Every structure is written in structure tokens, then in C-alpha cells.
Amino acid sequence: MLLLAMDTATPAVTVALHDGDSVVAESSQVDARRHGELLLPAVDGVLKEAGLTLDAVTGLVVGVGPGPYTGLRVGLVTAATFASALGVPVHGLCTLDGLAYASGIQEPFAVATDARRKEVYWARYDDSRTRVGDAAVDRPADIAEQLAGLPVVGAGAALYPEAFPDAREPGHQSAAALAALAAEKLAAGGEGFLDPLPMYLRRPDAQVPKNYKVVTPK
């Protein structure tokens, strides 16, 4: 087994290789505006670090979000393209689940990432492997009471300390954790993966104006 994992649903452009037992190589850069520029060089870098070529990969793992429209699509399209070219499967995982898994917390907690517009993408967990319900997007003040007394992992917690006073690491997503979670699921029978489709939770920022006029000839 050689899994190539990637996630661009958050400001972290993160890539990792996992051989089924451990992480072979990984790369993470935090830059919310350069997902498209950074992802392919990161893939090339981890392959070179591991002394491998892309055709050695037996499966793709990709974070499906939730996340902002443009950045999220970069990772999903890249993973789908590699999977098609190599003839290997692509496994989708919730980005928040990767952060939860990386935390190692074994008591109830939450994960919150920056959703912009003064909102966070968030979900509750019973432990680092068990999400409670679906991911959602809300204003921190609107969910502060629901999450009162719980540790909150992720950049969203650090951005809004008044709503989430018990902020915990990690702050950013790690493809290494996502790959390890995927390897664990595959070893257990391969259940619990999501389709590699974007989890947006809300409409994209860019929309066609309501009073748009057609100027081309009929």
C-alpha cells in the first residue's frame, strides 16, 4: 500500500505519503491564496523525499471539506486526476475528521476551522475517531453555548477565543493525519469513506448578478 493524501480545504496546503504502517514523507504550507501554485510542487517534493515516483501510488486520499469553494476544488480535482491517470481509487474524508484524528483527544470535544464571513465550519466528536452528527457552518457566538466546556481544535478556535476559550492544537490540517486515518479505515475493511466531492455547506461567494443583462445576439 502507498497512499498519497492531500487536503486544500483550509489555508494549509498539505500532502503526505503513507505506506500502510507509517508516514513516509509529508509537506505542509499555510497560504490561503496559493493552493493551486503550491499543491503540485508539494506532491513532487514528498515523492522525491521518499525516493518514489507517482506510479508507485496505490490509492489517493483527499479532504472533501468543508472549506471555501476555490481552495477546496484544487485538492479534489488534483486527486481525481491522479486517480484516473493511475487507475487507482480515491477515498474522500471530512477535513474536520483529519483534525480530530490528529488531536488524539479521547473525550468529547469539537473541531472548528475558519469559514470566513466571521463564521466557522465545525463538528462535535466523542473522541478523535468518532464524529457526532454532520459538519455545519455557523457564527461562533451562535454555537458557543452548545460547545461550552468542550476543548475546541483548529484555527477557528484560535480566531474566536471569546466563544472557544479552551482552544487546542493542531491549528491546521495535516495530510499525514488524514492518510493515517485512511490507512486505519482500509485495514478495518474500507468503510466510512466519503465520495470525493466537495462539501461546501453554503453557496459560493461569486454569483451571477440578479439583474444580469444578456448582450450577445439572440
Side-chain angles (χ1 to χ4, degrees):
M1 178 189 295
L2 185 67
L3 299 174
L4 173 61
M6 61 188 70
D7 196 317
T8 58
T10 72
V13 180
T14 179
V15 178
L17 286 170
H18 196 289
D19 65 6
D21 294 317
S22 61
V23 174
V24 177
E26 62 180 302
S27 169
S28 290
Q29 301 173 77
V30 178
D31 192 325
R33 298 182 180 277
R34 299 176 62 218
H35 294 87
E37 297 174 47
L38 297 175
L39 182 57
L40 288 180
V43 171
D44 186 54
V46 296
L47 287 168
K48 285 182 177 178
E49 180 182 340
L52 298 168
T53 56
L54 187 60
D55 58 9
V57 171
T58 61
L60 276 292
V61 180
V62 63
V64 303
Y69 184 83
T70 303
L72 176 55
R73 286 172 59 89
V74 171
L76 285 163
V77 170
T78 301
T81 301
F82 284 164
S84 178
L86 297 171
V88 300
V90 55
H91 309 289
L93 286 172
C94 176
T95 294
L96 303 182
D97 290 358
L99 280 157
Y101 185 83
S103 76
I105 298 174
Q106 299 305 310
E107 61 185 9
F109 70 104
V111 173
T113 61
D114 183 16
R116 304 175 186 172
R117 302 185 193 174
K118 297 182 179 179
E119 294 179 328
V120 292
Y121 296 117
W122 68 281
R124 292 185 62 152
Y125 293 80
D126 279 341
D127 56 54
S128 62
R129 292 175 175 81
T130 311
R131 176 157 39 91
V132 181
D134 296 326
V137 58
D138 288 288
R139 289 183 176 273
D142 294 340
I143 59 173
E145 186 174 344
Q146 295 181 55
L147 304 183
L150 295 180
V152 183
V153 170
L159 281 171
Y160 302 101
E162 67 285 354
F164 313 120
D166 189 2
R168 301 282 183 93
E169 294 291 333
H172 293 289
Q173 174 69 308
S174 161
L178 205 68
L181 176 59
E184 190 174 284
K185 287 180 178 291
L186 287 168
E191 296 184 358
F193 289 109
L194 303 173
D195 291 333
L197 300 172
M199 187 188 296
Y200 291 132
L201 300 188
R202 67 185 183 199
R203 297 178 63 83
D205 294 332
Q207 298 182 31
V208 177
K210 292 181 179 179
N211 298 319
Y212 179 76
K213 293 183 179 180
V214 178
V215 296
T216 54
K218 293 184 178 179

